[in-house]
Amino acid sequence: MSPTVAQAAPAVRVGAVAEDSIVIAIRAEAGGALRRFYAARGYRPLWVSGGKAGPAADRLIGFLATAELDGLKPYDVDGLRAAIAAARGGDAQPAARAELALSAAFARYVRDQRGARAARMTYADKRLKPKKPGVETVLRAAAFPKSFDDYVAGMDWMSDQYVRLRKLTAAARKQGASGEEMARLRRNLDRARLLPGPWTRHVVVDASSGRLWYYEAGRQVGTMRVVVGAAETQTPMLAGTLQWAILNPYWNVPDYLVRKSIAAKVLAGRTLDSLHMEALSDWGANPRRIEPGQIDWRAVAAGKEEVRLRELPGGANSMGKVKFLFPNRDGIYLHDTPVRDLLKKDDRHFSNGCIRLEDADALGKWLLQKPLGAASKEPEQAVALPVQVPVYLTYITAAATDRGVAFRDDVYGRDGRG
């Protein structure tokens, strides 16, 4: 045996014994939810290796030391540092105690961050309403990615919108931002707190910037411009579950547009045929078609009568070639659009509340896990998504600039009320 091999062998054996000792010590020290988590992974450590805490521990302590940025009370950072220092002696029991202390502090921090604040969102799917995750849930999610250190460093349990805004809050505080600016940042941060992290497959629409992002497997996989609601017809703070792609869709014209726009055009001489529309008896699943001549258009224009109108499928249809549905009482959905000019504008607040997509094909391919394909002429072809996907409509006005933190125009007037 060569001298090099002979010298290396004892080091390997010592390392193996050390790791076995930590496993035994964790088994002896852990209790409750921590014990259940560690038992499921054979009591292997997450934070400590060879008696030393890894870089994730330093990252966590950095977050805990600046928890006021999250609107949270101080944590016992000195106690954690002391536990980590005690583990450096190489004994298994102090290393196990440091390991468990880090996991407990981490779980508490994540649970506190996820707690609801002043921001309010309507949950069309009640299952999406945030709940404080249990200790085991927090730790299992952290242990799943290939790199635990990267997961902690990126704060991947929170939305990247939240992580960005937390950094902006730190920068604003350092630059001496005004009380009003800090209050606006806190409101933005609270809205972002309601969004999931990138390991949840989901879609986010920001009605302030007019952008959409979609995420899976720990990263953002796509983004695009969108047109969102005007100040008078705002896109709400809303969360639901995308379930269907509707190819070759109708557009059901909102009542106020029928009253303010379509009725006036008909009274001025336009026909429903020229507008590519039809009138229907009701909003049920099987309405009958009504002849336009049977409608009192003056009463409709005056708001004394209502009539259901829908735009027929085709190249000029306001929905374009596809719309993506998630059940909600506001009648909001994501859809293609034949009107592309508005997507080129910096301010894209023009819709009646729904979201017009810059690239419906790309989003459709991701949602359906295959290209949309060409639709037949049959209207309203419903295609179920292979996996239902959460969608979150939010409102984030804070942005970073070369001069520091800035805010987009508060088009919806929400920065003064959460």
Side-chain angles (χ1 to χ4, degrees), residues 252-370:
N252 289 297
V253 186
D255 290 339
Y256 79 92
L257 281 180
V258 173
R259 181 175 66 255
K260 291 184 177 181
S261 178
I262 307 303
K265 291 178 180 179
V266 173
L267 290 170
R270 294 288 301 273
T271 66
L272 288 188
D273 283 344
S274 71
L275 294 169
H276 306 289
M277 292 183 181
E278 62 182 3
L280 301 173
S281 60
D282 55 67
W283 289 90
N286 298 297
R288 59 183 176 82
R289 187 171 177 177
I290 300 175
E291 292 300 322
Q294 298 175 352
I295 300 169
D296 185 344
W297 291 103
R298 294 188 184 280
V300 172
K304 297 178 180 178
E305 291 186 12
E306 290 186 355
V307 61
R308 177 185 175 185
L309 298 184
R310 68 182 179 189
E311 188 176 33
L312 301 174
N317 184 279
S318 299
M319 299 291 100
K321 61 186 175 184
V322 63
K323 60 183 177 183
F324 302 103
L325 301 187
F326 62 104
N328 66 88
R329 293 181 179 178
D330 296 282
I332 301 295
Y333 38 84
L334 285 58
H335 64 88
D336 185 26
T337 177
V339 181
R340 313 302 297 178
D341 289 348
L342 296 180
L343 287 161
K344 299 175 183 177
K345 295 181 177 292
D346 291 333
D347 182 353
R348 296 185 288 281
H349 295 88
F350 296 103
S351 84
N352 299 309
C354 289
I355 293 91
R356 305 177 192 173
L357 301 167
E358 180 182 29
D359 195 343
D361 284 319
L363 183 62
K365 182 178 181 180
W366 182 73
L367 289 170
L368 291 167
Q369 300 176 21
K370 64 178 182 180

Side-chain angles (χ1 to χ4, degrees), residues 111-124:
R111 284 165 54 82
D112 290 346
Q113 275 187 310
R114 300 300 308 182
R117 297 294 190 275
R120 294 291 177 264
M121 180 175 281
T122 299
Y123 292 93

Side-chain angles (χ1 to χ4, degrees), residues 63-190:
F63 293 147
L64 297 178
T66 57
E68 72 277 5
L69 297 175
D70 304 288
L72 300 176
K73 295 179 180 179
Y75 293 82
D76 183 13
V77 174
D78 290 340
L80 272 182
R81 286 177 174 147
I84 291 170
R88 295 193 187 111
D91 292 338
Q93 193 172 53
R97 288 174 179 167
E99 170 73 26
L100 296 172
L102 286 162
S103 283
F106 175 68
R108 180 187 167 196
Y109 180 56
V110 173
R111 284 165 54 82
D112 290 346
Q113 275 187 310
R114 300 300 308 182
R117 297 294 190 275
R120 294 291 177 264
M121 180 175 281
T122 299
Y123 292 93
D125 186 339
K126 302 301 182 186
R127 295 172 297 178
L128 300 180
K129 190 171 183 178
K131 301 178 181 66
K132 281 193 175 183
V135 171
E136 291 175 81
T137 301
V138 170
L139 294 173
R140 282 198 303 268
F144 174 76
K146 289 182 179 179
S147 174
F148 173 67
D149 290 341
D150 289 348
Y151 180 87
V152 175
M155 201 179 274
D156 280 1
W157 57 93
M158 300 298 285
S159 164
D160 62 357
Q161 298 291 334
Y162 184 93
V163 177
R164 177 181 65 83
L165 287 167
R166 192 182 191 276
K167 292 176 181 176
L168 278 180
T169 302
R173 187 177 63 174
K174 185 178 292 187
Q175 293 164 359
S178 68
E180 180 183 354
E181 289 173 323
M182 295 303 293
R184 288 188 74 177
L185 275 168
R186 284 193 296 272
R187 293 186 184 103
N188 276 261
L189 200 66
D190 282 347

Side-chain angles (χ1 to χ4, degrees), residues 183-205:
R184 288 188 74 177
L185 275 168
R186 284 193 296 272
R187 293 186 184 103
N188 276 261
L189 200 66
D190 282 347
R191 293 176 198 134
R193 195 189 306 276
L194 301 175
L195 306 175
W199 288 92
T200 297
R201 192 169 191 262
H202 70 286
V203 177
V204 172
V205 175

Side-chain angles (χ1 to χ4, degrees), residues 34-45:
L34 287 176
R35 183 175 185 83
R36 291 191 294 273
F37 166 71
Y38 280 99
R41 56 185 278 113
Y43 297 97
R44 290 179 293 108

